[in-house]
């Protein structure tokens, strides 16, 4: 589908909030194509909505892209010879094209007030027609315009939509999509404050930045005919379009905060790894050839193809993200996960924000003990009490009951004795120690391991005992046994 010319794709976020999961997926699909074809990935800021745009959002979006590892080749912060890359800094470029359209009669000034427009919309709705602008100001004379200007009215500029035209789009994902120009009223391309609208600026930018493929969310499909008309009116070379489907929540309604966090930074803050999020985002709409679900960014660059991007909506499945994330947590270098875990652990109050080397070493042991059991790095903190508190907290009555079994005093006494006598506490030593414990007492494993586990952790499930005991150390084992048995009465 994609010709081998140098491809230039772009991600063009509006900085009106943090980078959204859907936006990140659009960025990713563009990024993957750019890398696959050794093309150029451009990032441009679309901030023509002055009210809603802000620098904080812009910074969040760019930081999130970098965190995900999708660095761009050209654009905002990077520069390039087709800049500036922020729309509010390109106003003189837009003006040139607006003037051209005005001169050719393909655009005109409109002085209609909000009230008049509202009335028109209501009247059309009442007749069961699509609300649209019917072109009242299309035929204003020069004299009428002057007169309106003298009354202090500030005009907008509207694009004159050709009558009776079918607009065909060959979408790389959706196939042929057609629109009738008659359903589109003459739309605003420059607002009364002189700022162009998205539908106009995006065309000028994509054309002047030599963008070859526009890959974006399906919510923009209905904008595309409006944009195509402007390419045609100005005789600009048109890019290929690919509209990727919406992301729905598990209940099949549009993904929103109700379904969980929607911003990339929220996942970062919960201890999801960028590799995992990238892997997960790729599968939101794209399906690989085989059954494999784990893809590094390099795998994706090799295998991604728009041919395998589905038309039907993608469903955001948090369980799947957790599954993928836990895979990457198990695979990553221990030190990396430990570093990510520190802020979460320090929130629990047991660990300093900047642990020294000794403390860091202990933390890597804790992470090693628990990382098979977590979906995100924040969950490391769920185990903080076990490793740092002097007090055992029973997870429930059932756990407490375990310690009331008759063999327990014997088990714990012998365990403590053996731990105290051990020369060093390593996993190997503990494994052997627990084995000899069951043997000497002549008890089944469960009658030994469960009470030991509950006495040390207060819980009936958790990390391996041979991981826990070396971390607790002799003192820790003694104190925690004292704490848990002291609570039985
Ligand atoms: N600025 C638009 C948005 O954030 C993107 C438009 C486009 O990709 O054409 O939704």
């Amino acid at each position: 589908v994609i010709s081998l010319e140098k491809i230039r794709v772009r991600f063009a976020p509006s900085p009106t909030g943090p980078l959204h999961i859907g936006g990140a997926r659009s960025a990713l699909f563009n990024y993957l194509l750019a890398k696959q074809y050794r093309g150029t990935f451009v990032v441009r800021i679309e901030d023509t909505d002055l009210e809603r745009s802000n620098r904080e959002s812009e910074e969040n979006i760019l930081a999130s892209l970098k965190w995900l590892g999708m660095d761009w080749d050209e654009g905002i912060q990077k520069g390039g010879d087709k800049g500036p890359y922020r729309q509010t800094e390109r106003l003189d470029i837009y003006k040139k094209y607006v003037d051209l359209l005005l001169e050719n009669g393909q655009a005109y000034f409109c002085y209609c007030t909000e009230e008049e427009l509202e009335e028109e919309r209501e009247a059309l709705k009442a007749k069961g027609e699509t609300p649209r602008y019917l072109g009242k100001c299309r035929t204003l004379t020069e004299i009428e315009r002057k007169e309106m200007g003298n009354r202090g009215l500030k005009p907008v500029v509207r694009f004159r939509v050709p009558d009776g035209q079918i607009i065909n789009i060959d979408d790389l994902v959706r196939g042929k999509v057609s629109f009738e120009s008659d359903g589109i009223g003459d739309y605003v391309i420059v607002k009364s404050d002189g700022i162009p609208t998205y539908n106009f600026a995006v065309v000028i930018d994509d054309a002047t930045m030599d963008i070859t493929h526009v890959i974006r969310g399906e919510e923009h499909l209905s904008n595309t005919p409006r944009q195509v008309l402007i390419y045609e009116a100005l005789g600009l070379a048109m890019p290929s379009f690919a509209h990727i489907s919406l992301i729905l929540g598990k209940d099949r309604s549009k993904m929103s905060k109700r379904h969980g966090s929607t911003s990339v930074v929220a996942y970062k803050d919960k201890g999801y790894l960028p590799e995992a999020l990238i892997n997960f985002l790729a599968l939101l709409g794209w399906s690989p050839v085989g059954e494999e679900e784990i893809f590094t960014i390099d795998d994706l660059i090799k295998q991604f193809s728009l041919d395998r991007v589905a038309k039907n909506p993608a469903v955001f499945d948090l369980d799947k993200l957790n599954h993928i994330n836990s895979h990457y947590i198990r695979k990553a270098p221990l030190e990396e996960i430990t570093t990510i875990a520190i802020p979460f652990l320090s929130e629990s109050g047991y660990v300093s924000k900047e642990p020294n080397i000794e403390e860091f070493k202990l933390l890597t042991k804790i992470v090693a003990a628990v990382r098979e059991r977590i979906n995100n790095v924040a969950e490391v903190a769920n185990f903080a009490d076990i490793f740092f508190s002097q007090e055992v907290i029973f997870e429930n009555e059932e756990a407490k009951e375990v310690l009331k079994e008759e063999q327990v005093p014997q088990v714990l006494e012998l365990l403590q004795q053996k731990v105290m006598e051990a020369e060093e506490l390593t996993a190997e030593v503990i494994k052997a120690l627990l084995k000899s414990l069951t043997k000497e007492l002549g008890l089944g494993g469960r009658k030994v391991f469960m009470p030991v586990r509950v006495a040390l952790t207060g819980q009936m499930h958790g990390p391996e005992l041979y991981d826990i005991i070396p971390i607790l150390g002799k003192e820790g084992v003694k104190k925690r046994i004292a704490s848990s048995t002291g609570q039985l009465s």
Side-chain angles (χ1 to χ4, degrees):
V1 187
I2 289 177
S3 61
L4 288 169
E5 76 199 279
K6 268 283 172 213
I7 83 157
R8 288 177 56 86
V9 290
R10 76 335 184 252
F11 177 53
S14 302
T16 56
L19 181 62
H20 189 274
I21 288 291
R25 184 195 51 170
S26 295
L28 178 62
F29 287 10
N30 280 286
Y31 175 87
L32 293 176
L33 278 190
K35 296 297 140 187
Q36 188 172 73
Y37 288 87
R38 295 177 205 287
T40 307
F41 178 46
V42 181
V43 172
R44 172 177 80 225
I45 299 296
E46 302 203 324
D47 59 346
T48 55
D49 185 340
L50 303 183
E51 291 271 299
R52 294 177 60 226
S53 298
N54 58 72
R55 282 299 164 101
E56 196 194 332
S57 299
E58 180 179 316
E59 274 152 31
N60 172 289
I61 291 167
L62 300 177
S64 293
L65 286 175
K66 286 181 203 162
W67 176 72
L68 286 168
M70 288 190 270
D71 209 355
W72 53 103
D73 307 301
E74 181 184 317
I76 193 80
Q77 293 181 350
K78 287 266 148 89
D81 57 7
K82 300 180 195 317
Y85 294 94
R86 190 183 282 117
Q87 288 187 327
T88 49
E89 292 166 20
R90 298 173 60 78
L91 300 181
D92 47 337
I93 302 176
Y94 306 129
K95 184 165 185 315
K96 265 185 16 208
Y97 290 95
V98 174
D99 288 347
L100 257 172
L101 291 175
L102 285 168
E103 272 165 39
N104 298 340
Q106 290 161 303
Y108 59 91
F109 290 104
C110 164
Y111 293 85
C112 290
T113 63
E114 199 36 61
E115 292 76 53
E116 288 173 286
L117 296 171
E118 180 62 28
E119 238 172 73
E120 182 174 81
R121 280 195 294 266
E122 288 308 319
L124 283 168
K125 269 197 244 167
K127 282 197 284 179
E129 286 185 45
T130 323
R132 61 193 190 280
Y133 184 65
L134 293 177
K136 182 161 172 226
C137 292
R138 266 188 176 197
T139 52
L140 284 187
T141 63
E142 194 57 34
I143 299 174
E144 287 168 315
R145 279 189 39 213
K146 283 241 167 67
E147 197 262 327
M148 305 264 200
N150 290 342
R151 294 209 330 246
L153 295 178
K154 285 241 179 305
V156 299
V157 179
R158 285 186 188 271
F159 181 72
R160 189 188 297 268
V161 175
D163 296 328
Q165 195 174 313
I166 305 288
I167 304 146
N168 293 309
I169 296 157
D170 240 326
D171 192 279
L172 295 178
V173 172
R174 325 203 81 77
K176 276 212 190 322
V177 191
S178 301
F179 297 87
E180 287 179 25
S181 71
D182 289 347
I184 308 173
D186 294 349
Y187 48 93
V188 176
I189 56 173
V190 183
K191 293 170 273 186
S192 58
D193 58 3
I195 309 287
T197 56
Y198 156 70
N199 269 325
F200 183 73
V202 73
V203 170
I204 304 307
D205 288 349
D206 286 338
T208 56
M209 293 179 186
D210 293 333
I211 298 301
T212 58
H213 297 77
V214 168
I215 303 163
R216 60 187 172 197
E218 189 187 338
E219 65 273 21
H220 286 294
L221 185 60
S222 61
N223 286 320
T224 308
R226 291 171 172 79
Q227 296 171 15
V228 165
L229 289 173
I230 292 175
Y231 282 100
E232 287 175 348
L234 288 167
L236 298 168
M238 215 169 317
S240 301
F241 292 100
H243 289 90
I244 47 187
S245 57
L246 299 178
I247 300 176
L248 305 182
K250 258 193 156 168
D251 61 359
R252 301 242 139 205
S253 69
K254 189 168 186 236
M255 168 87 178
S256 74
K257 291 233 168 77
R258 270 187 311 117
H259 301 104
S261 304
T262 55
S263 71
V264 168
V265 71
Y267 289 93
K268 172 174 187 261
D269 289 348
K270 283 186 203 155
Y272 286 87
L273 304 187
E275 305 88 307
L277 216 51
I278 286 283
N279 190 153
F280 174 72
L281 290 171
L283 298 175
L284 281 178
W286 171 71
S287 47
V289 175
E291 293 294 303
E292 183 57 50
E293 287 210 315
I294 298 295
F295 296 91
T296 64
I297 189 95
D298 290 331
D299 299 332
L300 292 170
I301 289 169
K302 285 196 200 101
Q303 297 180 36
F304 180 78
S305 120
L306 282 175
D307 298 345
R308 299 191 65 86
V309 171
K311 261 190 259 195
N312 50 323
V315 174
F316 185 96
D317 180 352
L318 188 61
D319 294 332
K320 185 161 173 179
L321 173 58
N322 283 337
H323 169 74
I324 293 173
N325 199 49
S326 63
H327 167 87
Y328 285 93
I329 287 176
R330 288 194 298 269
K331 252 190 49 189
L334 209 46
E335 286 70 23
E336 185 188 316
I337 304 299
T338 306
T339 305
I340 301 172
I342 288 169
F344 301 113
L345 286 166
S346 78
E347 241 166 68
S348 70
Y350 295 117
V351 173
S352 96
K353 282 200 175 86
E354 285 160 43
N356 62 32
I357 294 178
E358 277 309 299
E359 290 166 323
F360 189 84
K361 253 177 131 173
L362 176 70
L363 296 180
T364 58
K365 286 189 189 155
I366 293 176
V367 170
V370 307
R371 72 158 148 183
E372 301 279 335
R373 309 174 171 274
I374 54 176
N375 287 322
N376 56 57
V377 182
E379 288 173 6
V380 171
N382 297 349
F383 297 91
D385 278 330
I386 298 180
F387 294 110
F388 295 108
S389 169
Q390 313 270 10
E391 290 300 317
V392 172
I393 302 160
F394 291 107
E395 63 176 337
N396 53 31
E397 273 307 306
E398 196 190 346
K400 213 166 166 179
E401 287 305 310
V402 169
L403 294 190
K404 294 183 182 161
E405 290 168 21
E406 58 174 348
Q407 84 288 8
V408 171
Q410 228 189 342
V411 169
L412 296 180
E413 194 179 324
L414 192 54
L415 171 81
Q416 187 163 322
Q417 190 192 328
K418 283 182 180 291
V419 167
M420 291 304 151
E421 283 167 3
E423 268 185 30
E424 48 165 3
L425 297 180
T426 63
E428 294 316 307
V429 168
I430 302 302
K431 275 184 207 169
L433 185 153
L434 290 169
K435 210 168 177 183
S436 72
L437 191 65
T438 41
K439 212 160 162 199
E440 281 173 41
L441 294 173
L443 291 168
R446 200 189 141 79
K447 284 209 169 305
V448 174
F449 300 145
M450 190 52 93
V452 170
R453 172 175 297 288
V454 173
L456 295 178
T457 69
Q459 298 174 11
M460 295 177 58
H461 305 277
E464 301 293 348
L465 288 173
Y466 54 74
D467 284 330
I468 297 175
I469 293 172
I471 297 171
L472 292 178
K474 294 184 177 180
E475 274 314 290
V477 168
K478 205 162 137 189
K479 286 197 177 122
R480 290 185 66 88
I481 289 178
S483 164
S484 51
T485 51
Q487 294 177 58
L488 306 171
S489 50

